[in-house]
Amino acid sequence: MERTLSIIKPDAVAKGVIGKILDRFESNGLKIAATRKMQLSRADAEAFYAVHSERPFFGDLVDFMISGPVVVSVLEGENALIKNRQLMGATNPKEAEAGTIRADFAENIDANAVHGSDSAENAAVEIAFFFSEREIS
Ligand code: CMP
C-alpha cells in the first residue's frame, strides 16, 4: 500500500471539476485517505515548490497556485504514485494522452489542473506538508 499527494489546482477548482477529478481517483482504485479545500498563502506555495525555486517558471507557478483555492488530498492504494501519474497524464497538457485528467481538464503547462508527487521520497514530504498522521485514514 502506497500513499501520494494530489493537488487539484486553482484552474480545475474554478472550472467546477473537483468531483470529476476525485471520481477518477476512486474509480481507478485509489482511496481518498484525506482531503481538504484550502487557499494557499504565498509562503505556503513558495515552501511547497521550493525544489523549483531556481527554475525560470517559479514566480509564475507561485502566482498561479495562490490565484484561488486548491484541493489537497492523500491518495492511497497499490502503486498509488505511478497510478496517479498515469491518471494525470503529461505535465504539459498538449502532450497528455487522451482520457487523462490533464488532457480533459487542463489548459496549458502552468494551469495544468493537478499536481502529483513524483517520487516516494517527495510524496512523504508533500503529505507531511499538508496533513498530520491523524488526519489520514
Ligand atoms: P507540478 O506537477 O505542479 O510541478 C511543478 C509545476 O510547474 C508543474 O506541475 C507545472 O504546472 C509548472 N511548470 C511550468 N513550466 C514548467 C516547465 N517548463 N517544466 C515543468 N513544470 C513547469
Side-chain angles (χ1 to χ4, degrees), residues 32-137:
I32 297 164
T35 193
R36 182 194 310 126
K37 186 179 183 193
M38 64 185 292
Q39 172 67 50
L40 297 180
S41 67
R42 184 168 292 277
D44 287 332
E46 285 176 353
F48 182 80
Y49 280 119
V51 287
H52 294 306
S53 62
E54 302 304 320
R55 308 283 291 273
F57 56 81
F58 182 68
D60 287 343
L61 173 62
V62 169
D63 285 344
F64 173 66
M65 290 301 289
I66 65 173
S67 65
V70 299
V71 175
V72 292
S73 305
V74 178
L75 307 179
E76 191 177 88
E78 215 171 293
N79 300 318
L81 204 141
I82 296 273
K83 202 177 265 182
N84 182 38
R85 294 185 70 76
Q86 286 169 346
L87 292 174
M88 290 194 299
T91 305
N92 186 344
K94 290 184 181 69
E95 293 162 11
E97 252 181 73
T100 60
I101 293 169
R102 283 168 171 156
D104 290 346
F105 302 119
E107 299 305 319
N108 54 59
I109 196 165
D110 295 305
N112 67 349
V114 279
H115 164 83
S117 308
D118 64 359
S119 68
E121 202 181 8
N122 285 342
V125 172
E126 292 182 358
I127 289 169
F129 186 87
F130 286 112
F131 296 99
S132 64
E133 195 56 38
R134 68 186 176 141
E135 292 176 299
I136 305 171
S137 58

